[in-house]
Structures are given as structure tokens and as C-alpha cells.
């Protein structure tokens, strides 16, 4: 098995110190992650296939430890054309047909995913903030799941859900899963596709 298998099956990348065995075993994956981060700063909007592929590869090489970042990359890689269309429509509306506050909220939400002028760390933070601020607005046990297929064939699934605890506390939880291609004819990957 390769480095991506190790990354997605329990090896803690974020807790490794330089020189640790786990850190060395993921050397090429961590290097690839840096290259994808640099590439993301140079490409266009997420409406292009190239940018979508970079976002998905970045999610794949980031791994499950950075839940908000991976979830953001997966969701940003999906629906870019639709978001661009909605943003264009809201930009053309007058205040007579739609309140300025609603226009500003939609614009802010969509810019979080697609505005290249905003740093990705800030966009990820905004993504997390929007989800946390939405807790009271979402129905109980609300869930959205998104699937993205990486250019190398792995499938990434990101699930965002609102849970209400026994103490009636509301909490947004994110889970990301990587489904890798198996050696068998009928595995989860091939059955899903």
C-alpha cells in the first residue's frame, strides 16, 4: 500500500515531529500537498476542470486530520458553474426585486468558495464560521453529503451534518472519507461507480 493509504488509514500527520517514522513515510504526499497548495494560488476559478482537479488532489493529500479544510476543498470542487450562475444573477438584481442584505449575504457565501482574491486559509475559516452560524437555522439531523472523484480515481466523500445532543446542544459535524480503488472486481469503489 502507498502513502495515501497510510494517510487515510489512521496515521496522524499533524502530530508528527520532524524525523518521526510516520512523517518520513508520508514525505512524498506532504510534498505533493505543498505543490497543490502553490498551484491553487496560480489557477483560475473552481469552474474550470483543472482547478477542480487541484482542489480534489489537495483534499486527498491533506488527509482526514484537517476535517474543515478537506471538506471545504471537496465542496469547493463541486458546483462551481452553478455558483457562478447564481452569483451573476444576484449581481444583476435590483433592490426592488431583492433586498440588498440578501444580495450581500449570497455574494459573501459564494465568494467564500470562488473568490481567488481571498486567501484559502481565510476561506476555510469562513466556511467553518458559516456552518457554525447556521446551526440554529438548519433542521435537526440535517445532512448533506458530497462525492468528488479525484483525477487519480479515488473517491472523496464529505458529509456535513447537524446533530442535536441529548442535552439539546446543536453541533455541526464534518466527516470525510476516501474510497480507494481495490484489487477486486466488486469492492466499495467499483460498486459505487
Amino acid at each position: 500500500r502507498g502513502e495515501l493509504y497510510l494517510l487515510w488509514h489512521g496515521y496522524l500527520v499533524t502530530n508528527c515531529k520532524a524525523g518521526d517514522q510516520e512523517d518520513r513515510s508520508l514525505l512524498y504526499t506532504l510534498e505533493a500537498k505543498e505543490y497543490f497548495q502553490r498551484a491553487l494560488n496560480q489557477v483560475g476559478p473552481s469552474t474550470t476542470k483543472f482547478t477542480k482537479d487541484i482542489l480534489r488532489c489537495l483534499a486527498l493529500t491533506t488527509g482526514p486530520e484537517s476535517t474543515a479544510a478537506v471538506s471545504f476543498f471537496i465542496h469547493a470542487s463541486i458546483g462551481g458553474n452553478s455558483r457562478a450562475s447564481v452569483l451573476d444573477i444576484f449581481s444583476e438584481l435590483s433592490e426592488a426585486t431583492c433586498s440588498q442584505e440578501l444580495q450581500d449575504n449570497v455574494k459573501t457565501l459564494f465568494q467564500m468558495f470562488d473568490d481567488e482574491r481571498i486567501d484559502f486559509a481565510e476561506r476555510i475559516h469562513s466556511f467553518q464560521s458559516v456552518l457554525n452560524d447556521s446551526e440554529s437555522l438548519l433542521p435537526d439531523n440535517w445532512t448533506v453529503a458530497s462525492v468528488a472523484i479525484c483525477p487519480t480515481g479515488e473517491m472523496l466523500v464529505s458529509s456535513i451534518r447537524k446533530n442535536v445532543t441529548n442535552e439539546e446542544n446543536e453541533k455541526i459535524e464534518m466527516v470525510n472519507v476516501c474510497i480507494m480503488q481495490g484489487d477486486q472486481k466488486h469492492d466499495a469503489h467499483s460498486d459505487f461507480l
Side-chain angles (χ1 to χ4, degrees):
R1 300 270 179 181
E3 290 183 22
L4 290 174
Y5 181 84
L6 294 175
L7 178 66
W8 281 91
H9 286 86
Y11 281 81
L12 301 177
V13 176
T14 55
N15 295 339
C16 292
K17 297 176 185 157
D20 283 356
Q21 180 61 37
E22 290 85 0
D23 192 34
R24 280 196 304 272
S25 69
L26 297 173
L27 179 67
Y28 297 115
T29 302
L30 295 174
E31 188 176 345
K33 176 183 167 185
E34 285 182 37
Y35 287 126
F36 289 127
Q37 286 173 328
R38 288 184 200 163
L40 201 52
N41 293 325
Q42 306 300 318
V43 296
S46 60
T47 56
T48 67
K49 179 167 177 10
F50 187 55
T51 303
K52 291 175 187 182
D53 286 347
I54 291 171
L55 284 164
R56 292 169 186 181
C57 288
L58 186 54
L60 184 64
T61 57
T62 297
E65 296 300 314
S66 300
T67 307
V70 171
S71 189
F72 173 81
F73 294 139
I74 292 169
H75 288 277
S77 78
I78 299 169
N81 292 326
S82 298
R83 286 192 305 271
S85 296
V86 170
L87 192 55
D88 286 344
I89 291 169
F90 270 88
S91 298
E92 295 170 3
L93 293 177
S94 68
E95 221 175 300
T97 57
C98 183
S99 75
Q100 187 63 43
E101 182 182 9
L102 178 59
Q103 288 181 35
D104 291 343
N105 287 343
V106 169
K107 196 173 197 175
T108 300
L109 179 64
F110 284 78
Q111 281 178 328
M112 170 186 59
F113 284 109
D114 298 316
D115 192 343
E116 301 94 35
R117 297 170 295 175
I118 302 173
D119 177 65
F120 268 94
E122 187 179 331
R123 289 159 78 179
I124 293 166
H125 177 72
S126 295
F127 176 69
Q128 182 72 53
S129 295
V130 164
L131 291 174
N132 291 337
D133 292 346
S134 302
E135 286 176 352
S136 62
L137 302 173
L138 299 170
D140 292 350
N141 300 315
W142 171 87
T143 303
V144 63
S146 298
V147 178
I149 300 175
C150 297
T152 50
E154 297 84 3
M155 292 184 345
L156 296 172
V157 181
S158 178
S159 173
I160 302 172
R161 72 178 48 140
K162 175 186 172 182
N163 284 331
V164 180
T165 64
N166 292 340
E167 296 82 29
E168 298 298 316
N169 294 328
E170 298 173 337
K171 184 177 180 185
I172 298 290
E173 295 177 346
M174 290 179 267
V175 176
N176 302 301
V177 177
C178 177
I179 303 172
M180 297 187 182
Q181 292 176 324
D183 299 332
Q184 304 162 359
K185 285 186 178 183
H186 296 289
D187 58 6
H189 185 275
S190 62
D191 288 346
F192 195 76
L193 291 177

